[in-house]
Amino acid sequence: MKKRILILTAGFGEGHNSAARGVRDGLALVAPAGADIELRDLFPETYGALNEIVRRAYLAVINR
């Protein structure tokens, strides 16, 4: 059976995405051959259009 690995991230700044990509790339080196590694941003899938409002508010707060 093919291994499946799911990595969830939050697109609320590049730090989360960069860390998730690093985990994905590291797993690609050590995971069994043919493993399916999927990287997903949980927030747009969960909150839809509201995600963009929350993301912009978050970024405005951390930039001040």
Side-chain angles (χ1 to χ4, degrees):
M1 176 180 258
K2 185 176 180 179
K3 296 285 182 179
R4 298 176 67 201
I5 301 169
L6 175 62
I7 302 168
L8 299 175
T9 187
F12 283 33
E14 191 51 30
H16 294 99
N17 295 327
S18 180
R21 285 191 302 269
V23 170
R24 178 197 61 202
D25 295 347
L27 283 171
L29 296 173
V30 299
D36 182 22
I37 303 170
E38 186 174 352
L39 179 62
R40 305 290 295 262
D41 187 339
L42 182 63
F43 286 84
E45 295 181 28
T46 304
Y47 297 109
L50 180 62
N51 174 67
E52 187 61 23
I53 296 167
V54 173
R55 187 184 73 78
R56 286 184 186 192
Y58 171 79
L59 293 174
V61 167
I62 66 168
N63 286 322
R64 292 186 189 241

